[in-house]
Amino acid sequence: MKLINKKIVTMFIVVIMTNILMVEMSSCSDLLDKNPPSEISNSNFWKSESDAKLALVGCYRYESGWSHDDFLTPQGLLYLDLAGGNGTEKEGFTTLMASSNTVATNSNIRYYWANAYAHITRDNNFLLNIENCPMDESIKKAWMAEVKCLRAYYLFSLAFYFKDVPMPLVPLTIDEANNIEQTPQASVYSQVEKDLKEAIQVLPSKYSSDDLGRYTSGAACVLLSRLYLAQNRYADAADILRKVIDSNCYKIDKSNGIDSYEKLFQIGGEKSPEIILGINYVKDKYTTSRYQYLYPECYGGWHQFAPYNELIKEYFCTDGNGIETSTVYNDKDPYINRDPRLYASIFLPPLGTYPGTMYNGATYNCFKGPNSSDFYNKYTLFDGYCPKKGCDPSIISNLGSTYTYTPVMRYAEVLLSYLEALNESNPNSVTQSILDLTINDIRNRVNLPALKIEKLKSQEAVRKAVRKERRVELAFEGLRYFDILRWDIAKDELNHTFTGVKLSNDPNAINYIGNGSSASPVDKDMYYKFESRTWTTHNRYFPIPQNDLNVDKKLKQNEGY
């Protein structure tokens, strides 16, 4: 099955890390038939526990540098969030991944698929060869469990987003790879569940600080909970998430006061007791180019992404209410008295009494005039906003090679998923103590008033509360498209014209709309209308990449493509 003709340099480069060791270990061939250490030769490699450790760290080798289209990269996760209606990408990539215009030749989708199988192949090679490696059997069992979790993450992602997919569980020959059939989604899910359940029984609950980034039993539980949520198996999800809560291994990080949320996503956050699994990097050695894309133009970045105003509106006000019911919200001054998570997550322009986001001594301003940095309609898919979450002010140069980690799973997700699962499976079990354990613990970090059970009088009220909280708390962390697909609300969320910053008809205003034919289009509330999106039922699943269909005639395309 020829997924992509992409050469990958064969090497073992061991990087000594303060988190988990990383090693590049692969060969030049088609992705599903890759046998990563073949040039080194399996016959003269798997001779000791140290060899197995090298192979293990190779399995943890995520995409780095300028490679982004992957279910486990900082930008790959962000793409999925934007595809789910939290924003857009300047060249339309994320919209074209999830719209009625999505096609089987989409290059971004192709690489999500191809990179996933590259990782699965690496994992399969490890699982096959470690069996006969002379080493401590208990360590061998634990390492196999870790790699099965790594493989499970990609198998689950492929099955959730593509439906029926090839499921190789051993290394394949070229002929086998080019003639593999799809496995039904339900069977892939069953394999993932089996592997994760077995791993949970073997993996440790924690590692030393030298091994941050490795799968623990808690991380395996969270991945299993995502599988259960995707299948609407809410009772099972609640049970497995309660195990994570009762382990007392994690907590909501409030160590930096009101700045705790913002600092959680900066350098050092990977050591937080809230982080269950993260993608870690090493300064000057193992880095990512994410900041070059993420930063606004005024700070030297490309301002590649534009959060929608529909997301900005979802953030609460300081009285704990949404903008629809808050007594402190003023639509003429929309950025004051807002949830601290808004200020931590979005670069906002000066408007009304809000002075604009101050970052590294400079004020973000998208109203400085045509062709100026970050101007709100400088490009077709600009809207005046820019993501801020994850930006670290200590990074002021070399934006194309930075080492800030990215969370993949954190305790806030556990608490919100647990509340959702309880509410869907047994709504009568949602009490004030459950609210305080889950959603109120999260809101407390940013000084928002606690939710009261007497005001959440129905299952639907709790459902709305947890979904709204989940959207703002987990924004840009790769879960938004997952959520709206499993909730079956994508058709509502992705079929309209999205808006950006607020404009004004006053010629003297900094945010003047313009006049005549050059006037910017706005909605009834004067928010800039800039991107119309459409999404149809067949978009529930990505198309199988056309390149693979051309090679493997046994593959069948998803309906509608």
Side-chain angles (χ1 to χ4, degrees):
M1 181 176 175
K2 188 175 181 182
L3 296 174
I4 175 176
N5 292 320
K6 178 182 178 183
K7 288 197 171 184
I8 303 176
V9 180
T10 302
M11 64 180 73
F12 279 101
I13 303 178
V14 180
V15 181
I16 305 301
M17 306 174 69
T18 56
N19 39 50
I20 186 170
L21 294 172
M22 292 292 175
V23 57
E24 295 186 15
M25 179 183 65
S26 52
S27 68
C28 170
S29 185
D30 300 302
L31 292 181
L32 277 185
D33 62 87
K34 255 194 215 80
N35 206 349
S38 58
E39 277 77 0
I40 295 175
S41 177
N42 287 325
S43 62
N44 60 32
F45 179 64
W46 297 87
K47 299 297 185 182
S48 66
E49 188 172 302
S50 61
D51 284 351
K53 183 63 176 292
L54 286 175
L56 174 66
V57 297
C59 291
Y60 276 100
R61 201 286 186 197
Y62 304 120
E63 301 300 308
S64 60
W66 297 88
S67 180
H68 299 294
D69 298 315
D70 189 288
F71 292 110
L72 269 178
T73 62
Q75 201 151 300
L77 293 171
L78 177 57
Y79 271 22
L80 293 173
D81 233 61
L82 302 182
N86 275 349
T88 192
E89 190 270 345
K90 189 163 63 176
E91 297 177 58
F93 291 159
T94 55
T95 296
L96 291 175
M97 288 173 61
S99 79
S100 57
N101 294 317
T102 300
V103 294
T105 54
N106 183 287
S107 62
N108 301 99
I109 292 174
R110 175 191 179 194
Y111 281 98
Y112 273 89
W113 168 282
N115 284 329
Y117 280 112
H119 284 277
I120 290 169
T121 299
R122 189 184 306 166
D123 299 338
N124 286 340
N125 184 82
F126 177 92
L127 293 169
L128 175 69
N129 286 287
I130 196 174
E131 286 279 9
N132 297 318
C133 183
M135 58 182 292
D136 181 279
E137 288 300 314
S138 62
I139 295 176
K140 178 188 294 187
K141 191 174 181 181
W143 290 0
M144 290 179 70
E146 286 184 68
V147 173
K148 285 186 177 180
C149 288
L150 288 164
R151 184 178 68 181
Y153 183 96
Y154 280 104
L155 286 174
F156 170 60
S157 298
L158 286 165
F160 181 80
Y161 288 105
F162 290 94
K163 196 179 181 182
D164 302 338
V165 296
M167 187 175 68
L169 300 178
V170 295
L172 304 179
T173 65
I174 293 177
D175 185 63
E176 289 171 336
N178 288 344
N179 290 278
I180 193 171
E181 296 181 353
Q182 286 149 291
T183 299
Q185 182 190 63
S187 297
V188 179
Y189 282 174
S190 293
Q191 181 67 45
V192 169
E193 181 178 11
K194 174 179 178 293
D195 286 344
L196 292 175
K197 282 183 171 180
E198 292 175 354
I200 289 167
Q201 301 304 315
V202 176
L203 292 173
S205 60
K206 62 177 64 176
Y207 295 98
S208 69
S209 59
D210 291 335
D211 284 317
L212 293 178
R214 293 175 67 174
Y215 261 92
T216 59
S217 58
C221 284
V222 175
L223 183 53
L224 183 56
S225 77
R226 291 183 184 180
L227 172 67
Y228 288 152
L229 291 174
Q231 296 175 296
N232 296 330
R233 293 168 59 182
Y234 293 109
D236 290 331
D239 288 344
I240 200 67
L241 290 164
R242 187 74 205 201
K243 289 183 179 180
V244 180
I245 294 170
D246 290 344
S247 73
N248 294 316
C249 289
Y250 311 101
K251 64 180 181 180
I252 296 298
D253 192 340
K254 305 174 186 178
S255 60
N256 288 292
I258 196 63
D259 296 324
S260 295
Y261 183 80
E262 182 167 14
K263 289 184 178 297
L264 179 63
F265 305 97
Q266 298 175 352
I267 294 169
E270 65 273 15
K271 299 177 182 179
S272 167
E274 185 169 341
I275 301 303
I276 298 173
L277 185 69
I279 303 168
N280 300 320
Y281 296 94
V282 181
K283 186 178 182 180
D284 299 327
K285 295 179 180 179
Y286 182 68
T287 61
T288 173
S289 59
R290 62 181 291 216
Y291 277 0
Q292 187 62 64
Y293 294 85
L294 192 64
Y295 266 44
E297 293 178 330
C298 62
Y299 300 114
W302 291 341
H303 191 155
Q304 201 74 16
F305 310 108
Y308 293 142
N309 192 58
E310 285 68 22
L311 171 62
I312 278 70
K313 287 181 176 180
E314 284 294 290
Y315 285 89
F316 298 93
C317 296
T318 52
D319 61 3
N321 297 314
I323 63 173
E324 304 84 3
T325 59
S326 173
T327 59
V328 300
Y329 179 72
N330 180 354
D331 193 53
K332 295 180 179 180
D333 205 355
Y335 307 139
I336 63 167
N337 300 324
R338 300 296 295 276
D339 187 334
R341 290 173 294 189
L342 173 60
Y343 306 129
S345 301
I346 310 288
F347 282 100
L348 301 169
L351 189 64
T353 62
Y354 184 72
T357 299
M358 177 67 71
Y359 187 81
N360 277 344
T363 299
Y364 174 79
N365 188 350
C366 66
F367 296 131
K368 294 183 294 183
N371 299 317
S372 62
S373 62
D374 305 297
F375 188 57
Y376 77 91
N377 68 354
K378 184 176 182 179
Y379 298 99
T380 301
L381 294 182
F382 261 30
D383 73 344
Y385 297 121
C386 184
K388 180 172 179 271
K389 187 175 182 178
C391 290
D392 190 305
S394 70
I395 305 297
I396 58 176
S397 62
N398 200 15
L399 300 182
S401 181
T402 57
Y403 64 102
T404 312
Y405 91 109
T406 294
V408 176
M409 303 172 188
R410 58 188 181 91
Y411 193 53
E413 176 194 345
V414 170
L415 297 181
L416 291 172
S417 293
Y418 179 62
L419 176 57
E420 176 188 348
L422 275 185
N423 185 56
E424 298 298 338
S425 62
N426 185 12
N428 290 334
S429 66
V430 178
T431 61
Q432 186 63 52
S433 62
I434 290 295
L435 293 179
D436 293 341
L437 173 70
T438 58
I439 196 168
N440 286 338
D441 193 21
I442 293 169
R443 290 167 66 88
N444 175 265
R445 168 166 49 193
V446 290
N447 289 348
L448 292 185
L451 299 181
K452 299 299 182 181
I453 193 66
E454 56 266 24
K455 292 188 177 181
L456 298 175
K457 297 180 179 180
S458 66
Q459 182 186 41
E460 180 61 22
V462 175
R463 181 182 293 131
K464 287 182 178 179
V466 73
R467 289 184 179 185
K468 184 179 180 70
E469 196 77 41
R470 190 176 174 94
R471 185 175 188 183
V472 299
E473 172 69 23
L474 303 177
F476 308 141
E477 296 181 46
L479 291 173
R480 182 59 181 171
Y481 199 34
F482 171 72
D483 284 346
I484 68 170
L485 289 177
R486 65 185 180 87
W487 293 333
D488 194 25
I489 61 171
K491 58 184 177 297
D492 302 315
E493 296 293 320
L494 301 180
N495 272 309
H496 57 88
T497 298
F498 289 89
T499 58
V501 292
K502 192 176 185 66
L503 302 178
S504 171
N505 282 319
D506 181 358
N508 297 315
I510 187 176
N511 59 334
Y512 178 48
I513 192 175
N515 56 54
S517 61
S518 64
S520 296
V522 293
D523 67 9
K524 62 182 180 60
D525 297 317
M526 294 299 294
Y527 287 97
Y528 173 48
K529 295 168 60 176
F530 79 107
E531 185 184 25
S532 294
R533 291 179 61 170
T534 57
W535 190 95
T536 57
T537 304
H538 80 269
N539 294 127
R540 166 58 187 88
Y541 295 106
F542 289 151
I544 305 299
Q546 188 63 47
N547 296 69
D548 295 85
L549 294 170
N550 293 341
V551 173
D552 186 350
K553 302 304 180 181
K554 293 184 178 180
L555 295 181
K556 296 179 180 179
Q557 183 58 278
N558 286 327
E559 184 179 350
Y561 296 104

